[in-house]
Amino acid sequence: MGEKFLIINAGSSSLKFSLYDMPETKEIVNGYIEKIGNDDSFYTLKYDGKKLEKKRIIMTHTDAVQIMLMELLKNNFINDITDIKGIGHRVLHGGEFYSESVLIDKDVLDNIKALIKLGPLHHPGEIAGIESMQNVMPNVPQVAVFDTAFHQTMPKESYMYAVPYEWYTENGVRKYGFHGTSHKYITETMKKQLGKENVNLIICHIGSGASMCCVKNGKCYNTTMGLTPLDGLVMGTRCGTIDSSIIEYICKERNLSIEEVNTILNKKSGLLGIAGKNDFRDLEQLANSGDERAKLAIKMLQNSITKFIAQYYVELEGNVDAIVFTAGIGENSISLRANIVNAISNALDIKLNKEANSNIARFKENQNGLISTNDSKIKVFVVPTNEEYMILKDTYEISQKIKNNEFVKTLKKGN
Ligand code: ADP
C-alpha cells in the first residue's frame, strides 16, 4: 500500500495543504485555511472534483493543523495520523545556509528563526506551521524546501550589491533570489526535454510575483529578485527595480514612513500602481478596450522582461538552449509571449511560431510545447511550473533515505 505525504505552505494568516499517495504521486485532497487569527476564518477542501467550504474560528496555526488533521481523519483520507510518513514545508528563505532541501531538526529550525529578519512576512507563519506539526507528529520526518536554495550557485559578481562590504558580511545584504523551486523544476524538465545536463536557459516565471533565472551549465548563474522578492521585474503589485533614492524622496514629499513606503512598493505598485489592476486578464481586457494606462503597464512589464533576456543572453555568451515561459501569465498570455518574442526577434534572430503560440494556454488545455519556428536561432518553450511536485519529490527522497538509513545531514555554512 502507498504511503501518505503532506505538503504544507503556511502564510502569515493561512495554511495550504495537500495530501499525496506515494510513490504514485497521486493527490488525494488539498485544502486552504484562510484568515487564521480573524473571527471570519474559513477553509476549503477539494477532493474527487468536489469543493467544500466551511466557516470556523481558527485563531492560531496550531488550531489550523488540528482542523486539517480532523478533516483528514473524518473523511477517511487517512485512517490514523501514523499513515503520514513525511511532511514537506515550503520555506521562503534559506539565506546562505541551504542550497538544497533539508530534514528539519533543531539546528535547521533555529536557522529558519534566525532568518525571520529576511522573511518577516513569511517566516513566522512557516515556523508556526512546522512547530505545530512537530508537536502533533514528533517522529515523522519534516523537510524544508527553500525558495532561495536553487540560486545559491550564483557567482559572487552576480549576487553582490555595490554597497559597503560589511553590509554583506555583517548584515547579510546580497541577492538571494526567490521562486527557486519553480526555476529548478523548469531546469530539470528542460534537461529531460533537451536531452542534456549542461543546459543554458533563460527562464521567465511570470505570475503575480515574477522573476527570471539565467541557468548556465544546468545551474543558476543569475536571477532578478534580490535580498527580497521586491527586486527585478515589474510585477502584479511590486515595483521591481527602481532608483533606491526614490524611497527617501517620497517619504519626505508625501510625509510617509519608510515602512509605509515599503508596503506601497510591495502591495500598491507594479501593474496595480500604474493601471489600477493587478490581474493580468483584467489588464489585457482594459488594454484591448483602449485604456492607455493598461497598455503602458503591460509595455513596462514586457520591457522589464526583454531587458533581462538581453542581459542573460550576453551572460550566456549567446549560447542559449532555450527561453522558457512559465507561471500564470507566462503559461497563459498568448499576447505577452508574442510581444516579447517579437521584441527580441531581430536582435537575437528568434522567430515565433504564431500558431503554436496561439494554441498553448492552460485554458486551452494545451499547456506546454515549443513556440518558436524550426529556423529560430533559439528555441522558445512554454512549460507549466509545478513547485508542489518539487516539494513532494524532495520530501519523499529524504524520507526514503531516512527509512533506508542512507541519510547524511548536509549544511552549507555562509562564507
Ligand atoms: P502567483 O503564484 O504569483 O500568485 P500565478 O502564477 O498564479 O501567480 O499567476 C497569476 C497571474 O496569471 C494573474 O495576473 C492572472 O491574471 C494571470 N493569468 C491567469 N490566467 C490567465 C490568462 N488566461 N490570460 C492571461 N493571464 C492569466
Side-chain angles (χ1 to χ4, degrees):
M1 200 188 101
E3 299 177 322
K4 308 271 190 289
F5 282 75
L6 247 185
I7 303 303
I8 299 219
N9 186 352
S12 53
S13 63
S14 68
L15 189 130
K16 282 187 203 157
F17 63 89
S18 318
L19 184 74
Y20 281 88
D21 243 333
M22 292 300 280
E24 296 84 354
T25 317
K26 183 171 168 277
E27 190 187 78
I28 304 166
V29 56
N30 72 61
Y32 190 16
I33 303 174
E34 294 179 69
K35 298 197 171 183
I36 299 172
N38 288 19
D39 54 14
D40 58 347
S41 42
F42 63 99
Y43 62 97
T44 37
L45 288 180
K46 284 192 201 162
Y47 58 95
D48 292 343
K50 281 183 274 187
K51 182 176 173 185
L52 303 180
E53 184 171 315
K54 298 190 183 182
K55 292 199 184 344
R56 176 78 64 93
I57 296 178
I58 304 165
M59 290 318 283
T60 64
H61 283 78
T62 310
D63 295 346
V65 163
Q66 293 296 349
I67 297 267
M68 171 184 77
L69 292 173
M70 184 269 292
E71 288 288 356
L72 296 183
L73 285 164
K74 199 177 82 182
N75 293 295
N76 297 320
F77 298 127
I78 52 174
N79 296 322
D80 189 278
I81 57 169
T82 56
D83 288 355
I84 298 170
K85 303 297 181 202
I87 301 159
H89 294 268
R90 181 180 190 162
V91 180
L92 178 81
H93 221 302
E96 285 191 331
F97 290 116
Y98 302 110
S99 55
E100 53 191 56
S101 304
V102 288
L103 180 73
I104 302 174
D105 60 12
K106 189 180 172 306
D107 288 348
V108 173
L109 193 57
D110 285 348
N111 285 333
I112 297 173
K113 286 181 180 168
L115 290 165
I116 289 179
K117 61 183 177 180
L118 288 173
L121 298 178
H122 295 77
H123 274 217
E126 289 164 0
I127 291 163
I130 293 168
E131 289 183 329
S132 307
M133 294 307 296
Q134 283 180 333
N135 286 341
V136 191
M137 291 184 232
N139 300 319
V140 177
Q142 304 210 35
V143 172
V145 180
F146 300 97
D147 246 22
T148 50
F150 183 65
H151 303 302
Q152 279 294 299
T153 51
M154 274 188 284
K156 214 159 191 168
E157 61 270 26
S158 288
Y159 71 68
M160 288 297 290
Y161 294 112
V163 293
Y165 202 79
E166 311 76 71
W167 290 15
Y168 167 59
T169 51
E170 294 170 22
N171 309 101
V173 172
R174 55 158 283 180
K175 181 194 282 186
Y176 292 96
F178 298 86
H179 290 148
T181 313
S182 170
H183 290 300
K184 186 173 176 189
Y185 175 82
I186 299 295
T187 303
E188 297 300 323
T189 305
M190 290 310 295
K191 282 181 185 174
K192 284 189 206 128
Q193 172 92 35
L194 298 168
K196 65 192 250 194
E197 274 296 301
N198 288 337
V199 286
N200 284 351
L201 306 169
I202 299 175
I203 304 171
C204 310
H205 174 117
I206 317 297
S208 301
S211 73
M212 288 172 55
C213 187
C214 173
V215 175
K216 198 182 230 176
N217 292 326
K219 295 194 170 102
C220 173
Y221 183 82
N222 210 344
T223 191
T224 55
M225 285 178 168
L227 175 79
T228 72
L230 186 59
D231 204 5
L233 302 174
V234 170
M235 300 178 223
T237 64
R238 297 191 192 115
C239 59
T241 307
I242 57 166
D243 177 350
S244 44
S245 305
I246 291 172
I247 297 171
E248 186 196 357
Y249 175 78
I250 207 68
C251 280
K252 289 180 180 158
E253 279 285 305
R254 298 184 78 95
N255 197 22
L256 295 164
S257 67
I258 288 187
E259 289 76 15
E260 284 169 325
V261 170
N262 193 43
T263 303
I264 294 169
L265 294 178
N266 273 288
K267 302 213 159 130
K268 300 251 165 8
S269 300
L271 303 174
L272 181 68
I274 295 293
K277 294 276 179 203
N278 60 309
D279 189 285
F280 203 72
R281 286 162 290 203
D282 296 344
L283 219 54
E284 282 186 323
Q285 223 171 14
L286 276 178
N288 289 338
S289 64
D291 187 293
E292 290 304 324
R293 294 266 200 102
K295 286 190 208 166
L296 174 65
I298 292 174
K299 191 91 186 89
M300 288 170 73
L301 167 60
Q302 286 168 184
N303 284 0
S304 72
I305 297 168
T306 50
K307 182 180 83 176
F308 283 108
I309 291 178
Q311 179 186 329
Y312 293 167
Y313 177 83
V314 173
E315 290 185 353
L316 294 170
E317 299 176 47
N319 298 317
V320 185
D321 294 311
I323 296 173
V324 186
F325 288 97
T326 191
I329 302 172
E331 289 165 30
N332 290 299
S333 176
I334 293 160
S335 65
L336 177 117
R337 293 191 306 245
N339 291 339
I340 288 172
V341 176
N342 290 333
I344 58 175
S345 174
N346 285 343
L348 304 187
D349 203 8
I350 298 179
K351 295 190 190 101
L352 183 75
N353 178 338
K354 277 193 200 148
E355 203 190 329
N357 184 48
S358 301
N359 284 336
I360 292 181
R362 202 160 35 195
F363 59 89
K364 292 190 167 188
E365 291 183 9
N366 180 16
Q367 304 190 4
N368 62 4
L370 186 70
I371 59 164
S372 51
T373 58
N374 289 339
D375 62 341
S376 175
K377 191 176 157 214
I378 298 173
K379 292 186 166 89
V380 185
F381 283 90
V382 180
V383 178
T385 195
N386 196 341
E387 289 155 291
E388 192 157 286
Y389 170 75
M390 289 305 277
I391 301 175
L392 182 66
K393 181 172 166 279
D394 284 0
T395 306
Y396 183 67
E397 282 175 5
I398 289 178
S399 75
Q400 292 303 298
K401 282 186 187 160
I402 294 168
K403 199 163 106 181
N404 302 329
N405 285 324
E406 291 164 3
F407 184 73
V408 182
K409 183 175 165 180
T410 52
L411 174 65
K412 177 179 178 263
K413 276 276 171 219
N415 42 352

